[in-house]
Amino acid sequence: MRRYSASFDTGSVEERIADLRRKVDELMHEQVNPALSRVGSRASSLAHQVSDTTRREADHAIDLVRERPLVTIAVAVGVGLLIARLLRR
């Protein structure tokens, strides 16, 4: 039976792997990290906008309840009856 042995230069493979690692690190530093930072900033900005809008709308709803308490009670009773009727089915 004949054995085949291949001489394989592991040094050049290790150099290529090290070169690829350097390139990946460079790409991460130059492109991926700034992109993630921009996405994070945008998400934070949107979260603040949603928070402000929610707070403004909640304040508006509270003002409406204070201005028209009887209408608010009537609407609450109507919604409660509607939900009760839907749950019975």
Side-chain angles (χ1 to χ4, degrees), residues 3 9 16 20 22-24 26 29 33 38-39 48 55 60-61 67 73 87:
R3 282 188 161 181
D9 183 13
R16 291 182 72 191
L20 285 172
R22 280 191 298 274
K23 287 179 182 178
V24 167
E26 189 176 307
H29 180 70
N33 290 343
R38 285 191 303 272
V39 168
H48 286 294
R55 187 174 298 116
H60 181 67
E67 290 174 8
I73 293 171
L87 290 176

Side-chain angles (χ1 to χ4, degrees), residues 18-19 32 41 68 75 77-79 82 87:
D19 186 47
V32 175
S41 295
R68 299 182 179 113
V75 168
V77 168
V79 169
L82 179 64
L87 290 176

Side-chain angles (χ1 to χ4, degrees), residues 21-62:
R21 283 185 179 151
R22 280 191 298 274
K23 287 179 182 178
V24 167
D25 287 342
E26 189 176 307
L27 282 173
M28 289 290 290
H29 180 70
E30 292 177 358
Q31 295 188 9
V32 175
N33 290 343
L36 289 176
S37 178
R38 285 191 303 272
V39 168
S41 295
R42 182 69 179 140
S44 177
S45 175
L46 288 173
H48 286 294
Q49 287 177 0
V50 167
S51 176
D52 292 343
T53 301
T54 302
R55 187 174 298 116
R56 192 171 46 250
E57 292 302 319
D59 291 342
H60 181 67
I62 289 170

